[in-house]
Amino acid sequence: MADNSVTSGSGSQPGLTPLDVALRLACEQVPVSDLIETRELTECHGAILREDVIAAINVPSVDNSAMDGYALRMADLALLPQTGALTLPVAGVALAGHPFIDEIPTGRVVRIATGAAIPHGADAVIIQENVAASADESEIRIERAVIERVRQGDNIRRAGEDVKQGTVLLPAGKRLRPQDVAVAAGQGRAHLVVARPLRVAVFSTGDELAAPGGELPPGGIYDSNRFAMIGMMRAIGCDVTDLGLLRDDFAVLQAALSEAADNHDVILTSGGVSVGKADLLKPVVDSLGSIEAWKLAIKPGKPLMRGRIGDCLVLGLPGNPVSVMVSGLLYAVPLLLHMMGARIEDRAIVRFPMPAGFNLKRRTGRREWLRARLHRNGNGQMVALPFHSSSSGVLSSMVWAEGLIELAEDRAGVQQGEIVDYIPFAGLQAF
Ligand code: AMP
Ligand code: MG
């Protein structure tokens, strides 16, 4: 059973805000964007719907056949002689898109294809496999045993059986999946009102970083975080500006953030939000706007910062690559979906209770996510297993993993066989 409930953040380390509280506050303080657009249906996949889609028509619009066969009047089957079978002439043909216009004549049948409108007067369809047609298809013979099984309405799809005119088919705030867009198409809609993509500026900070494609200086590392951030933002339909790499320099950061804030809804950064000498992001945001939240009771990702420059939201993710992904997926993504008007169901995290395949002792006070996989043990039971290292610098753990094990703030350990919450990556909104 998936559990979408928001778990409590009780037992958090003093001075650190539990994730649920931080996210609730952020959703209260950051308004839903009023920027919406009317978009062509083919471009709507993955977008946040910003109107209720109400069924304008019944689907199907008329009674039609669910099978290839023969439409008939039930009353005519009473003509069956005491023994043997009934032979009925075929009055015509009804195909999908080519209805049999007239009322079905008494004592006759109409050959009918799947999806064709039921001719007036007919109240059942017998499938073609259950009758014998003459060589010239002018009549059919129905055996007694078949006739005895026919019921009123057999193989007829009723008008409005799928969708009833006037019902809310898709509620505002729904994140549109292929079937959602398809059902709108079934209503004849060529356009939908959806959230305009948020304009998100992304950059990495750090003097040790080199851009992929360039030379790696001794002791340097390639910037990987920017690509994780860009991917997560694109996965939820944001319009990303890649602002590259920035040095740990107050004036450089200040100029870049100030300019980006002018023409973006969100600035997303990695690194420089901790308490080291080179951690300049906080003072820079403070100089241009305000810091609204800092430090969450989460592991990894603790130093996460939320601020504002004018109307632009600033999210400073920590530098460690796993922290970037975890805080990005569990905080930044739900918050940005909220800004685009997503319903709570469409930004919730899906958790599955699974037995643990491991033992663990840990310090309480922060909610923790272990990179994890499901594994079938010797007894054929599925268990959740963590990666061998819990370091937040090991990005390859995210590549190995297929999900996360979530440990509540007050959980001091895990014994093999105990239940833990497992979050498949596929249950996160940016995958
Ligand atoms: P910071 O939060 O800036 O102190 O960074 C924490 C750790 O993450 C340091 O070891 C950094 O080298 C590493 N790091 C920071 N930014 C990136 C990045 N863009 N890509 C890969 N690693 C990074
Ligand atoms: Mg740094």
Side-chain angles (χ1 to χ4, degrees), residues 203-266:
F203 53 80
S204 292
T205 70
D207 285 348
E208 73 281 33
L209 301 177
E215 196 75 23
L216 189 66
I221 52 173
Y222 281 120
D223 170 20
S224 52
N225 291 347
R226 194 155 36 101
F227 303 89
M229 292 189 289
I230 291 172
M232 291 188 284
M233 294 298 103
R234 292 227 169 104
I236 57 166
C238 292
D239 188 357
V240 176
T241 312
D242 177 6
L243 294 183
L245 270 176
L246 296 181
R247 300 282 143 223
D248 292 317
D249 178 294
F250 192 95
V252 168
L253 288 167
Q254 195 181 43
L257 267 87
S258 171
E259 197 189 329
D262 283 343
N263 45 21
H264 291 90
D265 305 300
V266 181

